[in-house]
Amino acid sequence: MNIAIIGAGNVGGTLGKRFAAAGHEIVFGVRDPARDKYQSLVMQAGSRARLAGNAEAAAGASAIVLATPWSTTESALAACGDLSGKIVIDATNPLGADLNLGMGLTDSGGEQVARWARGALVVKAFNSTGFNVMDDPVLDGRHAVMFVAGDDAAAKGVVLDLAGAIGFEAIDAGPLKIARLLEPLAVLWIHCAYRQGLTRDYAFALIRRGA
Ligand SMILES: NC(=O)c1ccc[n+]([C@@H]2O[C@H](COP(=O)([O-])OP(=O)(O)OC[C@H]3O[C@@H](n4cnc5c(N)ncnc54)[C@H](OP(=O)(O)O)[C@@H]3O)[C@@H](O)[C@H]2O)c1
């Protein structure tokens, strides 16, 4: 699959490398393709990865990973052009400067992304754990969980497969409005990592009776 990564930082860079290693064609959509940090990212991601501006990256992709800071997400989406019918995987969290959510309970960043990217098939995923866990979701032999929420069943299936392919136990969490629960889950992960001493090297996992 051709996947565009908009926001080639910690999350986007990591997911791009992992998806390329899983056999997908990756285009990192960046604001300045000439910057050194992007050249080295493409080198690390291998021959299946390249750089482009946001519009070119999105135009050639069937799935677009959104991994921008919340403050630039609306403009990044606008720079991608018409996203109707494309899968938009929203890995962002609508965090303020204090790392708390700027919305919740009755709305979510995922739903706001769907309003900005009119006509896109928005799926919330890869927002609820650290990028270092995305780099290797198997911790001491156990698979970290990745909850996936979206309204389009086929698009959500694609994202569940992508999460599974890079090592997560991928769980269908329901419709896109469940992003209202997945974004606070990200804040819990951040809180426990930085304020409760768990550090970034931990992840949420599922245990089930009779599975
Ligand atoms: N860090 C985590 O562990 C983690 C985990 C889950 C979810 N998230 C969420 O994922 C998002 C990204 O986090 P991050 O830690 O990866 O941030 P980051 O390392 O700061 O990377 C953000 C990237 O977005 C790029 N960017 C900003 N505006 C852009 C635009 N208009 N078009 C294209 N690229 C643009 C930046 O590029 P420039 O170099 O041009 O500024 C930068 O490379 C946030 O919403 C965050 O809440 C983070």
Side-chain angles (χ1 to χ4, degrees), residues 42-106:
V42 166
M43 292 282 286
Q44 289 169 40
S47 60
R48 289 200 169 89
R50 65 184 181 89
L51 295 169
N54 287 347
E56 184 191 338
S62 46
I64 292 123
V65 175
L66 194 55
T68 45
W70 184 247
S71 57
T72 64
T73 295
E74 181 177 10
S75 60
L77 279 169
C80 288
D82 182 10
L83 296 174
S84 323
K86 293 181 186 280
I87 300 170
V88 170
I89 304 169
D90 175 26
T92 68
N93 284 304
L95 299 177
D98 56 0
L99 294 184
N100 281 319
L101 290 173
M103 60 173 70
L105 299 178
T106 57

Side-chain angles (χ1 to χ4, degrees), residues 8 15 18 26 28 36 46 80 83 88 127-128 163 171 182 186 201:
L15 289 176
R18 296 304 310 270
I26 304 300
F28 292 106
D36 285 351
C80 288
L83 296 174
V88 170
N127 73 300
S128 57
I171 297 291
L182 301 190
D201 223 6

Side-chain angles (χ1 to χ4, degrees), residues 14-15 18 128-139 143-146 166-168 189 199-204:
T14 301
L15 289 176
R18 296 304 310 270
S128 57
T129 195
F131 70 88
N132 55 306
V133 176
M134 300 177 208
D135 196 39
D136 182 4
V138 184
L139 290 79
H143 294 258
V145 68
M146 181 52 64
I166 66 169
F168 282 104
W189 187 90
T199 79
R200 296 185 61 87
D201 223 6
Y202 87 100
F204 302 129

